[in-house]
Amino acid sequence: MYCAKMVNQQKLRTFLAAFPQTTSFWVAFSGGLDSQVLLHALSQVVPRTRLRALHIDHGWHEEAKVWAKACQDYCVKQAIACEVIAVNAQPQPGESPEAAARQSRYHAFATRLPLGDGLIMAHHQDDQAETVLLQLLRGSGLKGLAAMSEVMPFAEGLLLRPFLNLTRADLLVYAQQHSLSWIEDHSNFDLRFNRNFIRHQVMPLLKQRWPALHKTLARVAAHSAEAQQLLDERGQEDYQTASGYINCVFRHS
């Protein structure tokens, strides 16, 4: 039987407390289940004056304007500032629609994030597992297999993912407990997109054999990130040693 973890307010508050210099937290708010839970949970622990929502209109769907208005209306009711950003997500020749959308979305976020502020995204453990599997299929090395980080530099601030240890099922339980409603984007079921194919066709089949697959793949990401960090540190040490040796040679030549 599945036992949901809690979207724990104290843990979320502790996570954010690690960034005392951050003036505002900006939430990537699509209006879907994940970001709806994220914004609601954050609104319980962050003063409204420090909370902002950013909604990206990719211009792909007829309902895009309806979705944008729904996000704005929700934020008005919650007294949370919300900005809708229209982007050009048309792929270049040879570029996948997924990559084009992601690039345009992150570029928009980067242009809006003030110095030292934090962009918070609702990626969870299922997303992490899918990313690892996609990277494996691309033949990625350690950096790719490390997938997504909880905290990383982004633009002039930080990118934060406090839900990486929670599953989508955990978020669904929270949404139901708090009677939240959310947008269902039917393109998330379009199997022409690689991630959707992994999510709806590959992962369910693998989970029949390995029920804890999402946790296992998330652990692969953690191990890969640790190994990559050790390699980076060793490389920096070797660089400093070599630089010191070269400087010594030049001083005595």
Side-chain angles (χ1 to χ4, degrees):
M1 181 178 178
Y2 175 74
C3 181
K5 298 178 184 177
M6 295 295 293
V7 179
N8 188 290
Q9 290 185 9
Q10 184 55 48
K11 287 184 178 180
L12 189 56
R13 188 178 287 108
T14 300
F15 178 86
L16 297 177
F19 313 102
Q21 303 304 318
T22 300
T23 301
S24 295
F25 294 106
W26 300 70
V27 179
F29 185 47
S30 69
L33 169 65
D34 306 341
S35 65
Q36 189 72 51
V37 169
L38 176 63
L39 187 59
H40 183 275
L42 286 170
S43 71
Q44 308 305 303
V45 300
V46 178
R48 298 297 201 276
T49 54
R50 296 185 64 200
L51 201 55
R52 304 281 188 274
L54 291 173
H55 177 84
I56 304 298
D57 178 359
H58 296 92
W60 281 3
H61 305 285
E62 295 178 358
E63 297 179 276
K65 302 303 181 186
V66 176
W67 295 342
K69 186 177 186 308
C71 289
Q72 288 179 311
D73 289 346
Y74 175 80
C75 288
V76 167
K77 291 178 181 178
Q78 299 298 319
I80 298 171
C82 177
E83 180 181 0
V84 175
I85 309 170
V87 299
N88 178 9
Q90 293 303 313
Q92 299 298 316
E95 184 181 27
S96 73
E98 293 168 291
R102 183 183 186 280
Q103 183 174 352
S104 62
R105 185 165 60 248
Y106 277 77
H107 175 73
F109 290 147
T111 60
R112 293 304 195 280
L113 191 66
L115 178 67
D117 276 6
L119 172 67
I120 308 186
M121 306 190 80
H123 294 126
H124 46 70
Q125 195 173 76
D126 297 54
D127 295 323
Q128 185 80 309
E130 293 164 5
T131 301
V132 171
L133 191 52
L134 281 166
Q135 295 289 12
L136 281 169
L137 293 171
R138 292 168 182 158
S140 299
L142 285 175
K143 188 173 183 180
L145 295 179
M148 297 180 286
S149 303
E150 268 195 336
V151 181
M152 63 177 291
F154 178 75
E156 294 187 322
L158 295 171
L159 175 54
L160 310 173
R161 298 183 177 99
F163 283 174
L164 279 185
N165 289 323
L166 299 173
T167 66
R168 188 179 190 279
D170 298 327
L171 304 190
L172 180 58
V173 169
Y174 180 94
Q176 293 170 339
Q177 289 175 339
H178 294 272
S179 301
L180 301 181
S181 58
W182 58 89
I183 295 167
E184 291 287 1
D185 182 351
H186 296 294
S187 70
N188 289 331
F189 298 91
D190 188 339
L191 299 183
R192 292 175 297 174
F193 299 144
N194 290 336
R195 184 176 288 273
N196 288 345
F197 182 78
I198 291 288
R199 177 175 299 167
H200 300 296
Q201 296 290 317
V202 178
M203 294 295 281
L205 182 61
L206 291 176
K207 284 183 179 181
Q208 289 179 21
R209 188 79 165 191
W210 297 280
L213 179 68
H214 58 288
K215 295 181 180 179
T216 302
L217 290 176
R219 193 160 61 245
V220 169
H223 291 330
S224 298
E226 182 179 0
Q228 183 64 57
Q229 182 180 356
L230 290 173
L231 286 174
D232 291 343
E233 291 174 354
R234 181 58 184 268
Q236 184 63 30
E237 291 173 359
D238 290 346
Y239 172 78
Q240 292 175 349
T241 300
S243 297
Y245 175 78
I246 292 172
N247 290 335
C248 181
V249 170
F250 275 110
R251 283 199 302 269
H252 292 87
S253 61

